[in-house]
């Protein structure tokens, strides 16, 4: 081919003479069905091309898959439509990306690479989204992924959205492996991400307190002194008199006890739904030498050492609690969205009957009412009160048609906000039936929640 045809010309050419390299699609995805169709019917829609002086041949602008399928099927000729060469790379990339997205979807890695090129050309993310008819979130994720080697490599087996989640854990190979395994299994990824984020935030909060202790110049204890620890006492268990009536203050301890004052990361009590927090805790050693007194932790009865089975159960209990905490937050978030439906969920009447029979004689605590208000979506300056019951009642008067959703919200909120349910719900007897019903409604159970729902006592004990 020695001279190009003018723009607007339609020609019959050997597909092997066309250049296909310069295309956003790096893997053309020539599935058997597509190849068979081209073999039987040929290339029906003309391939759009332009003349490349550099290559001295026609360059495929749109129709890479059709061209390659024709080559594979050894078709002698296909129809091409000649256009003027594109004036800039941005136009070429946008056109090819849009055309390919609306046919056989291009691979996630190809999409990210194309968005990266447009971004490097200086095209804002909002314009990329508009011109390629993509969601702004997908474009933003693609740009972030393009800057991360870990996330880019994961595109071979993960979606753009899931791969973007790897970016915040780039410095944690263990977390990366856990996320990729969850994505590959096709279940539980949301729970895994929430658990990892919770653990990361908790570790950061704890590390900040350890740094503060170091800044204060105090020796450090990793945890608070336990009841069996005879060498240390927390400062609120050390007193100036034998009757244990006047606790030692931090100022007195630091001024008089010197190097016998230790710092440790003290977990702060948080209300339902709040992230884990820490503050500097103080412990004292050698309190007798300073003329002080302390509560007796050890007791008069010496306990027998734990058996291997008891230790294993305690370890399993700690692991279950560690996983249940983030799962509780994901579950509550799911319920909050689920209860916005105008249709009452299946089986709510039975759940209501069982719950009301069991709790008719007992009142709800503040955490339960806070959970109820959150699930139902009731907001008020009075939500901090002991009971939001009157507020819920007023809400029902204004929205009588939402009575079924409110009833389910009251029931689920009283369960979710029950004593330590967000930490120890996995070991409560009523939890399996509760989780099974949530699963019936469409809630995706985490791995631990599935074990609890199935009452697999060996894994849960």
């Amino acid at each position: 081919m020695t001279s190009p045809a003018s723009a607007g010309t339609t020609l019959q050419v050997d597909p092997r003479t066309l250049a296909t390299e310069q295309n956003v699609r790096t893997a053309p995805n020539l599935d058997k069905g597509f190849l068979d169709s081209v073999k039987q019917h040929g290339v029906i829609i003309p391939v759009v091309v332009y003349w490349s002086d550099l290559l001295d041949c026609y360059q495929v602008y749109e129709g890479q898959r059709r061209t390659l399928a024709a080559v594979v099927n050894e078709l002698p000729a296909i129809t091409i439509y000649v256009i003027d060469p594109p004036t800039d790379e941005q136009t070429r990339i946008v056109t090819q990306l849009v055309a390919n997205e609306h046919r056989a979807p291009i691979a996630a890695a190809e999409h990210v690479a194309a968005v990266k090129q447009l971004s490097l050309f200086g095209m804002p993310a909002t314009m990329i989204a508009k011109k390629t008819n993509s969601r702004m979130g997908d474009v933003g994720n693609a740009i972030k992924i393009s800057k991360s080697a870990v996330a880019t490599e994961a595109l071979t087996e993960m979606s753009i959205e899931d791969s973007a989640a790897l970016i915040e854990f780039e410095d944690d190979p263990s977390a990366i492996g856990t996320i990729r395994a969850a994505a590959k299994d096709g279940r539980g990824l949301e729970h895994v991400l929430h658990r990892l984020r919770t653990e990361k935030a908790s570790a950061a909060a704890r590390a900040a307190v350890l740094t503060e202790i170091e800044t204060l110049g105090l020796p450090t204890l990793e945890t608070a002194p336990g009841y069996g620890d005879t060498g240390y006492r927390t400062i609120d268990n050390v007193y100036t008199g034998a009757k244990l009536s006047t606790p030692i203050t931090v100022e007195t301890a630091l001024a008089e006890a010197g190097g016998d004052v230790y710092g440790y990361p003290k977990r702060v009590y948080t209300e339902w739904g709040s992230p884990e927090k820490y503050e500097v805790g103080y412990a004292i050693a050698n309190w007798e030498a300073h003329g002080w007194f302390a509560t007796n932790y050890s007791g008069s009865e010496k306990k027998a050492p734990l058996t291997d089975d008891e230790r294993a159960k305690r370890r399993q209990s700690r692991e279950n609690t560690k996983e249940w905490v983030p799962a509780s937050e994901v579950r509550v978030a799911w319920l909050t969205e689920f209860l916005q439906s105008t249709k009452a969920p299946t089986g709510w009447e039975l759940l209501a009957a069982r719950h009301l029979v069991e709790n008719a004689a007992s009142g709800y605590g503040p955490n339960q009412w806070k959970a109820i208000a959150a699930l139902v979506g009731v907001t008020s300056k009075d939500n901090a009160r002991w009971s939001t019951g009157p507020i819920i009642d007023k809400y029902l008067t204004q929205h009588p048609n939402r009575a079924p959703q409110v009833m389910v919200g009251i029931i689920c909120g009283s369960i979710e906000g029950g004593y330590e349910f967000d930490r120890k719900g996995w070991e409560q007897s009523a939890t399996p039936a509760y989780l099974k019903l949530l699963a019936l409604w469409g809630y995706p159970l985490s791995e631990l929640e599935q074990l609890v729902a199935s009452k697999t006592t060996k894994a849960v004990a």
Side-chain angles (χ1 to χ4, degrees), residues 305-321:
L306 295 176
T307 65
D308 291 344
D309 185 54
E310 289 172 332
R311 280 194 291 270
K313 285 184 178 180
R314 288 196 177 188
R315 282 195 301 270
Q316 186 63 60
S317 176
R318 288 193 296 270
E319 288 300 313
N320 286 353
T321 298

Side-chain angles (χ1 to χ4, degrees), residues 382-398:
D382 295 323
N383 274 2
R385 299 189 321 179
W386 174 268
S387 170
T388 54
I391 302 172
I392 300 292
D393 184 71
K394 181 179 179 181
Y395 179 83
L396 276 173
T397 301
Q398 297 171 339

Side-chain angles (χ1 to χ4, degrees), residues 270-291:
T270 56
E271 293 184 342
W272 176 86
S274 299
E276 197 169 69
K277 297 179 180 178
Y278 290 90
E279 66 181 15
V280 177
Y282 296 88
I284 299 176
N286 301 317
W287 54 89
E288 301 96 333
H290 303 284

Side-chain angles (χ1 to χ4, degrees), residues 46 62 83 112 128 162 169 185 189 196 215 237 292 331 365 390 392 428 434-435 448 461:
E62 198 277 300
I83 63 172
V112 168
I128 295 175
D162 292 347
F169 299 101
D185 291 342
L189 180 58
L196 290 172
T215 302
N237 284 288
W292 300 334
R331 190 174 60 251
I392 300 292
Q428 297 182 16
Y434 174 61
L435 292 178
L448 174 59

